[in-house]
Amino acid sequence: MRAVRLINILTTLQAKGLVTAETLAAENGVSVRTIYRDIDALSLSGVPVYSERGSEGGYRLLDGYRVRLNGLSPGEAEAMFLSGVPGAAADLGLGSLMAGAQKKLTAALPEDLRQSAARMQGRFHLDAPTWFGESERPAHLQAIADAVWNCRLVRMRYRSWKAEKNREAEPLGVVLKGGAWYMAARVDGDVRTYRISRILDLLVTKERFERPEDFDLAGYWAENTLRLEAELHPNTATLRVSRWGLRLLEHISPSYVRARMEVEKDERDEDRWIVTLPCGQAQHAISEFLRLGAEAEVLAPEMLREAMRETMDRLAERYRQDAGGGPSPGATIRDRAVPDRGSGRRP
């Protein structure tokens, strides 16, 4: 384990330059004291690593020093071939480059690792879009990716939920989420998120911008996603659900809601549960809870319960109206013919 850690420290220093002991400790899952000992071991073995003191200090390799580490473990070889998303690479215009890189890597691997990597590709497949959804292929995706890579200022006409707006933006990164492409861009000094499919017109200028050195795309996306989920679910609701309703609720709820869902048995009915969970504003919450049908009852807040009652009254009145040629009001569910839609099955 220590040998692997020493290699990780060495490759990190070579890739990043100046790195603090705290950062190395976090990346390797050890204490800072252990990193101190590892640095001493590297120095004693002849690796020219030295420290820079001060509030912005850390460790770095002597300028010009490079180490060649070409060996891959079986697990590393498998992971490299599992990490690619061919569809996403093709959307970005990198499909042929990815295929070429994988061929070169395969040819360079020893025979045993080559077979291991091939097994990984043959047994695991990543399909990014959700069920019954298709991955977007926005018209301006490749142009934005090029602007991100080359730090080019863009001017765009963007359609938000409320209106169309003209924006001048500094694109910092591209994210694929659930089959949809997003751009993280700095506008008027703040980093914001834009769905690329809603960009109506785009001009990539020749003007370059200075990318902020401290911007972390993965960290920004995680924080932004959490903030958006919190904004979409500012309220709390209490439901009484059946066993099937509980399963449906856990299936349709986003991860943010599931992580904060509180479930306890209903003392009055052993076949039902009381669930407290975050929810959106009334209109959004009604749409979500109607998906549960008769398997759920909103208990609180009273305002949401009343809104659910009014909505269901309107639905009941609509379905009571004679549409002409329909089944008689007294007909049972079994008596009501349902058109045959074929034998297609959902997963």
Side-chain angles (χ1 to χ4, degrees):
M1 290 297 293
R2 189 187 189 195
V4 173
R5 191 171 66 247
L6 291 175
I7 292 175
N8 287 340
I9 293 173
L10 191 54
T11 54
T12 300
L13 293 175
Q14 181 168 300
K16 297 183 178 181
L18 185 66
V19 185
T20 65
E22 290 77 11
T23 299
L24 292 172
E27 289 183 355
N28 290 276
V30 296
S31 66
V32 174
R33 186 177 297 275
T34 299
I35 293 297
Y36 292 154
R37 291 196 295 265
D38 290 341
I39 293 294
D40 289 340
L42 288 173
S43 298
L44 290 173
S45 66
V47 176
V49 57
Y50 64 95
S51 63
E52 292 185 4
R53 301 187 181 278
S55 59
E56 297 182 358
Y59 293 102
R60 70 162 66 244
L61 294 174
L62 184 67
D63 290 344
Y65 179 81
R66 290 292 181 269
V67 59
R68 296 179 61 85
L69 298 171
N70 297 324
L72 289 175
S73 69
E76 290 170 336
E78 293 169 1
M80 289 189 68
F81 280 88
L82 182 62
S83 62
V85 185
D91 291 346
L92 291 168
L94 303 174
S96 60
L97 293 177
M98 172 180 276
Q102 287 192 339
K103 288 179 180 178
K104 291 178 181 178
L105 180 58
T106 301
L109 290 174
E111 181 61 29
D112 58 335
L113 294 187
R114 197 179 308 168
Q115 293 177 358
S116 181
R119 283 196 303 271
M120 178 64 74
Q121 282 188 306
R123 300 183 187 186
F124 294 92
H125 175 68
L126 176 61
D127 185 11
T130 58
W131 281 112
F132 314 114
E134 295 183 0
S135 179
E136 294 180 347
R137 292 176 174 82
H140 303 295
L141 176 59
Q142 293 186 21
I144 287 176
D146 183 71
V148 168
W149 186 253
N150 294 293
C151 296
R152 299 286 187 183
L153 191 72
V154 302
R155 296 187 178 94
M156 61 182 180
R157 183 164 61 94
Y158 184 79
R159 185 183 68 248
S160 67
W161 289 105
K162 298 180 179 179
E164 293 183 9
K165 302 177 181 179
N166 293 317
R167 287 285 183 266
E168 187 174 84
E170 301 172 352
L172 302 176
V174 174
V175 175
L176 175 62
K177 170 73 171 180
W181 289 95
Y182 297 87
M183 172 181 67
R186 187 167 57 182
V187 177
D188 298 330
D190 296 324
V191 181
R192 306 174 187 177
T193 302
Y194 297 90
R195 189 161 179 168
I196 297 178
S197 62
R198 294 188 188 143
I199 297 177
L200 305 178
D201 295 308
L202 179 76
L203 172 65
V204 179
T205 71
K206 296 182 178 180
E207 184 179 348
R208 296 178 61 87
F209 65 90
E210 192 69 26
R211 181 182 176 87
E213 294 183 358
D214 59 348
F215 178 72
D216 175 18
L217 179 60
Y220 163 79
W221 185 257
E223 180 181 347
N224 183 70
T225 301
L226 183 62
R227 178 186 57 79
L228 178 60
E229 291 278 17
E231 290 178 355
L232 291 175
H233 302 89
N235 302 318
T236 302
T238 302
L239 281 64
R240 179 185 290 117
V241 299
S242 66
R243 186 185 305 273
W244 177 242
L246 182 60
R247 291 180 61 186
L248 284 175
L249 191 59
E250 291 173 341
H251 176 71
I252 67 175
S253 299
S255 58
Y256 177 88
V257 173
R258 290 198 303 272
R260 293 158 178 79
M261 190 182 297
E262 298 178 4
V263 181
E264 59 183 24
K265 291 287 292 185
D266 186 354
E267 296 179 354
R268 299 186 303 172
D269 188 343
E270 62 179 11
D271 291 328
R272 292 189 176 273
W273 284 260
I274 304 299
V275 181
T276 303
L277 72 167
C279 69
Q281 301 293 349
Q283 186 174 4
H284 180 266
I286 291 170
S287 299
E288 287 296 304
F289 296 151
L290 281 178
R291 298 171 66 184
L292 302 173
E295 306 299 327
E297 175 190 1
V298 175
L299 302 179
E302 182 59 34
M303 183 177 65
L304 178 58
R305 181 179 173 87
E306 180 62 26
M308 290 287 293
R309 183 186 298 116
E310 293 176 358
T311 300
M312 288 186 287
D313 286 345
R314 291 198 302 270
L315 284 172
E317 178 62 27
R318 184 169 301 166
Y319 281 100
R320 275 195 295 265
Q321 295 176 359
D322 184 10
S328 62
T332 65
I333 294 295
R334 291 179 181 273
D335 297 329
R336 301 168 188 247
V338 179
D340 185 8
R341 299 297 184 187
S343 59
R345 296 183 178 179
R346 292 187 176 184

